[in-house]
Amino acid sequence: MLGTILKVSLLLINAIAVLSEDRFLARLGWVSGQQQASNASFHQGYDQNGYGVTQQDVGLKARLIDLISAVRTLMRIPLIGINILVIIYELLLG
């Protein structure tokens, strides 16, 4: 049961990591803030404490876009190693 959950989560993370922002996400309007900023002038919202945009101002769509961008950026290299380990495990122990 736990192995199945780990395999499914690994497959989902792999699916997020290989999404192409130019081909797939841009068609849906799910472009990260960095790519939107290159098309528009720079504007950063700040709350009164000076810590950036408050969490109430950020919607679910923006959070999902940031999550996809973070997974694609941070997990790309570790996923290669994790995938190799899972493949070796499956080949040896089935």
Side-chain angles (χ1 to χ4, degrees):
M1 179 76 177
L2 183 63
T4 305
I5 293 172
L6 290 174
K7 288 179 190 175
V8 168
S9 63
L10 181 64
L11 286 173
L12 289 174
I13 294 171
N14 278 320
I16 292 172
V18 299
L19 283 176
S20 173
E21 195 163 343
D22 297 334
R23 288 195 224 157
F24 180 73
L25 297 175
R27 286 188 204 166
L28 299 175
W30 286 43
V31 181
S32 68
Q34 293 174 345
Q35 196 169 20
Q36 287 177 352
S38 66
N39 295 335
S41 64
F42 179 76
H43 173 65
Q44 172 120 14
Y46 286 99
D47 64 355
Q48 292 187 2
N49 296 328
Y51 294 116
V53 178
T54 60
Q55 289 297 320
Q56 291 96 8
D57 294 340
V58 179
L60 180 63
K61 182 178 176 181
R63 288 182 185 180
L64 286 174
I65 292 169
D66 288 342
L67 176 67
I68 290 171
S69 178
V71 167
R72 290 179 64 230
T73 302
L74 299 174
M75 291 298 293
R76 188 165 288 167
I77 301 299
L79 272 176
I80 294 171
I82 294 169
N83 285 327
I84 289 171
L85 290 175
V86 169
I87 290 170
I88 291 171
Y89 172 79
E90 288 294 323
L91 287 175
L92 294 179
L93 302 175

